[in-house]
């Protein structure tokens, strides 16, 4: 029996990278996991296959976040899937992991209104309204985990808009932790640093070497390094942790 046996979870953006590893980690602890994806259905199905191969349970949910109608679409699929698997629509664990990133670094002077709006729609607005809607499904004692970034603690002008949007989700954590404490729902932020999430630029040896030097352990983070922390926060063992900013950057912020 896993520590999350009988629980249900939604991990947004879990078709690859940290989201996939998180979905797998939660399922290994016994949770039924809703694997959310925006575009790549095959990748989401691969996440489900990994979970099922390991003896776990999962389902896929499709919705592009940050666009009109996204919340309704997400929760129609989620509630239908939960009913099919459990007969109920209870959601015990919400992991707000999905996020938009810049396609290329931009100086603050070069950021367009469209790029700014796109980033905030996906990284700040969507998590807020996903969480708002999920609160009707989350029982007392539930878990909300928001994925931020170590970039909110350092200056990187080429990532200013991304960092601003992630700072917003940290504020969501702080205020909801206080608001939901009477229901014993914990709300926490997990902040990864440089993590090899499968993107093409991590295959460039020079990039890997340069970024590895920024961590205390002199290596890139792996998605599993982050996922194990998220899985712990989702358990009852972490019931006394709420409103926290949990640095999972491998010591990048030590200076």
């Amino acid at each position: 029996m896993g520590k999350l046996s009988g629980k249900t979870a939604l991990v947004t953006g879990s078709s690859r990278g940290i989201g996939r590893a998180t979905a797998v980690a939660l399922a290994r602890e016994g949770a039924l996991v809703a694997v959310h994806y925006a575009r790549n259905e095959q990748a989401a199905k691969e996440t489900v296959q990994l979970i099922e191969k390991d003896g776990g349970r999962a389902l896929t949910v499709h919705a592009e976040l940050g666009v009109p109608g996204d919340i309704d679409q997400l929760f129609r699929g989620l509630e239908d899937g939960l009913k099919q698997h459990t007969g109920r629509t209870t959601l015990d664990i919400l992991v707000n992991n999905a996020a938009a990133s810049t396609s290329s670094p931009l100086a603050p002077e070069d950021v367009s209104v469209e790029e700014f709006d796109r980033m905030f729609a996906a990284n700040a607005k969507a998590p807020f309204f996903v969480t708002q809607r999920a609160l009707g499904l989350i029982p007392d004692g539930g878990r909300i985990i928001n994925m931020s970034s170590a970039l909110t603690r350092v200056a990187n002008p080429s990532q200013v808009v991304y960092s601003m949007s992630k700072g917003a989700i940290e504020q969501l954590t702080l205020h909801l932790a206080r608001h939901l404490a009477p229901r014993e729902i914990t709300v926490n932020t997990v902040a990864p640093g440089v993590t090899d999430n499968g993107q093409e630029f991590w295959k460039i040896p020079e990039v890997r070497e340069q970024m590895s030097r920024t961590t205390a352990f002199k290596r890139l983070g792996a998605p599993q390094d982050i996922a194990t922390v998220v899985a712990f926060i989702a358990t009852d063992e972490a019931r006394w942790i709420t409103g926290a900013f949990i640095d999972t950057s491998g010591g990048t912020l030590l200076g």
Side-chain angles (χ1 to χ4, degrees):
M1 296 290 287
K3 295 176 181 178
L4 299 175
S5 181
K7 304 292 187 181
T8 59
L10 167 64
V11 183
T12 65
S14 47
S15 62
R16 64 178 181 84
I18 293 172
R20 170 179 284 183
T22 297
V24 170
L26 294 174
R28 281 178 178 162
E29 289 294 345
L32 166 66
V33 182
V35 175
H36 161 261
Y37 69 98
R39 297 183 183 88
N40 195 334
E41 182 180 11
Q42 182 55 39
K45 288 181 176 179
E46 289 171 5
T47 302
V48 171
Q49 289 168 0
L50 285 171
I51 289 170
E52 292 179 341
K53 183 179 179 181
D54 211 25
R57 299 185 302 151
L59 58 105
T60 61
V61 182
H62 171 248
E64 182 175 354
L65 299 178
V67 301
D70 54 351
I71 307 303
D72 286 339
Q73 182 180 359
L74 174 66
F75 279 87
R76 276 197 303 269
L78 175 64
E79 292 180 28
D80 286 347
L82 291 175
K83 281 182 180 178
Q84 289 176 16
H85 284 77
T86 69
R88 302 175 297 140
T89 59
T90 302
L91 179 67
D92 299 288
I93 302 157
L94 169 62
V95 182
N96 283 309
N97 170 75
S101 58
T102 52
S103 54
S104 60
L106 291 173
E109 297 90 340
D110 298 327
V111 176
S112 66
V113 172
E114 291 76 18
E115 177 71 358
F116 186 97
D117 288 346
R118 180 184 73 87
M119 198 77 68
F120 268 78
N123 298 358
K125 182 179 179 180
F128 178 89
F129 286 103
V130 167
T131 304
Q132 182 191 70
R133 185 75 162 263
L135 287 177
L137 308 180
I138 298 176
D140 292 356
R143 299 284 183 267
I144 299 172
I145 301 163
N146 295 320
M147 302 299 290
S148 182
S149 169
L151 279 170
T152 65
R153 295 300 191 272
V154 296
N156 186 337
S158 67
Q159 296 287 345
V160 60
V161 179
Y162 177 80
S163 299
M164 289 172 65
S165 68
K166 284 300 187 178
I169 204 169
E170 293 174 15
Q171 288 298 307
L172 179 64
T173 291
L174 185 66
H175 295 280
L176 282 184
R178 173 61 66 86
H179 180 63
L180 297 173
R183 295 180 56 192
E184 297 189 2
I185 296 173
T186 67
V187 190
N188 291 289
T189 293
V190 172
V194 288
T195 306
D196 184 354
N197 57 8
Q199 291 176 299
E200 286 299 314
F201 61 80
W202 291 124
K203 297 177 182 179
I204 304 170
E206 295 81 3
V207 172
R208 295 183 65 88
E209 181 180 355
Q210 179 184 1
M211 298 309 294
S212 293
R213 289 198 297 267
T214 67
T215 74
F217 301 113
K218 306 307 177 188
R219 70 168 176 86
L220 297 178
Q224 292 79 10
D225 294 328
I226 318 303
T228 52
V229 175
V230 176
F232 167 72
I233 299 169
T235 68
D236 185 61
E237 293 176 346
R239 60 191 174 276
W240 202 239
I241 303 172
T242 195
F245 174 91
I246 301 171
D247 175 2
T248 54
S249 71
T252 299
L253 302 181
L254 293 176

